Amino acid sequence: MGIEVPQDVKDFQAQLVQSTLDVFERMLAQHKGDFLVSDQPTIADLQLFYELLDLNITQTSWAKYANISAWHDKMLTIPEVQEVQQLNAEAAKEFQALVAAKTSQQQ
């Protein structure tokens, strides 16, 4: 069940994601620091990091982008990002358990 997304819409979305990743890759290549605009992470880095996680959930790969991959790995070393990642993982498990319980009650 759900809404069927037309193929031309899916193609447009894939093209948009690809062009956005291309721009992000070039931005990181131009900046010599470890992060997007400085040598320290900024709110821009955090925002883009979580946007990329959303792409990861939708199985979009940025593996061919060396600068994005390196930046992503650096972001994962930040203790606060690690903490949020852990909290998200725990929340996802709780949500899955609730969905499973609700589904079993309906059967």
Side-chain angles (χ1 to χ4, degrees), residues 27-97:
M27 288 175 69
L28 287 169
Q30 290 174 351
H31 181 66
K32 303 302 183 213
D34 287 341
F35 298 98
L36 189 57
V37 295
S38 74
D39 292 333
Q40 299 294 318
T42 65
I43 191 72
D45 292 288
L46 292 171
Q47 178 65 38
L48 287 170
F49 178 79
Y50 286 103
E51 293 296 332
L52 281 179
L53 286 183
D54 288 345
L55 291 177
N56 189 38
I57 290 169
T58 62
Q59 304 305 312
T60 300
S61 174
W62 63 85
K64 71 177 188 174
Y65 298 100
N67 292 313
I68 293 174
S69 294
W71 169 85
H72 178 264
D73 292 345
K74 289 175 200 159
M75 291 297 293
L76 287 173
T77 66
I78 300 170
E80 293 81 3
V81 170
Q82 293 172 351
E83 182 179 348
V84 170
Q85 292 298 97
Q86 180 63 35
L87 291 171
N88 284 342
E90 292 169 8
K93 286 180 184 176
E94 289 178 20
F95 179 74
Q96 289 171 344

